[in-house]
Amino acid sequence: RMQMPSKLTPLSLRLASPLAMRAESLSTARVHDFVQEDLSAALDWSAKQGRILTGGGVAESLYTAARGYAFEQAQLPHHHLEAGSTHDTFRAWRWGPPRDASGGGGGPALPWLTGGWSRPLFAGGGEESSDASEACVNLVTPSLFVDIRIPIARNALLDALGEREEERLRLLARQHGFAGYARLAEVQGAFGPGGAAVAAVACTRHHAVDWNFLGAGRPRPNRWTVTPLGGNGGDNGGENRGDNGG
């Protein structure tokens, strides 16, 4: 089974950019050289995120019903956004009976999961990104969520580009932000290190707003399972393993 892990730790953002420090130490004549060198890598950020998420483009062929990863169209992250049913559906989920058969209500009360998280590592398809190269903020509640990801090198490059407006606009587009409703469900029979039973939770995310949504939704659910590192809901963080999501 292919795994695309992203380990969660309490919120801590690294905003200091190695690129900015390089720029301070370079002469004006040399700035142009490293800007051109790093600009291509920075503009590839969004595409790289997609390659990591899909395991290098193989996720759709691996995460199928025949392999045990069945899903309904209504579980796709942009289904309600495309249908115009976001607000009515979210309202029914939020005020419906908690833990009913459809997962209504706010979901299980999980103090260890609720809060602000960072993402030190995002890996898949032979590539990875980390908190050394991007700032990732993930706000989680038993119902609503917000996920923001911004490449750290971007600000220094924007300064170095000066009045090159077209390239500056392309660079500004390299970011990702989405928010919506998270459907949480407890996973039965989950086991952690050493074979001990753990309080794992499956999360399916439905996007109400999405920076990268251009009218065509993604073909797989944004779905992942998170397990507390302490085994049964401690306050020491968790490990996130995506089935189809990110």
Side-chain angles (χ1 to χ4, degrees), residues 79-164:
H79 173 80
H80 295 292
L81 190 59
E82 293 178 297
S85 57
T86 293
H87 293 290
D88 290 341
T89 302
F90 285 15
R91 188 179 300 111
W93 285 344
R94 176 64 184 88
W95 301 112
R99 304 191 188 187
D100 66 7
S102 65
L110 302 170
W112 60 268
L113 179 59
T114 301
W117 300 85
S118 65
R119 186 176 66 184
L121 179 66
F122 184 40
E127 295 186 87
E128 67 179 43
S129 61
S130 71
D131 55 4
S133 60
E134 66 188 43
C136 179
V137 182
N138 196 339
L139 301 181
V140 180
T141 79
S143 54
L144 303 179
F145 75 90
V146 178
D147 200 320
I148 300 173
R149 309 165 190 179
I150 299 176
I152 292 174
R154 193 180 66 173
N155 286 347
L157 270 171
L158 286 171
D159 291 340
L161 286 172
E163 297 182 358
R164 294 160 60 176

Side-chain angles (χ1 to χ4, degrees), residues 164-180:
R164 294 160 60 176
E165 293 300 325
E166 181 177 345
E167 290 171 317
R168 285 170 58 88
L169 287 173
R170 292 179 63 200
L171 194 57
L172 281 170
R174 269 54 184 179
Q175 62 185 16
H176 196 184
F178 55 101

Side-chain angles (χ1 to χ4, degrees), residues 25-48:
S25 64
L26 293 174
S27 66
T28 302
R30 294 178 60 198
V31 165
H32 177 76
D33 294 334
F34 89 78
V35 166
Q36 291 301 117
E37 176 185 342
D38 291 327
L39 181 59
S40 295
L43 291 176
D44 185 54
W45 181 83
S46 295
K48 181 180 178 180

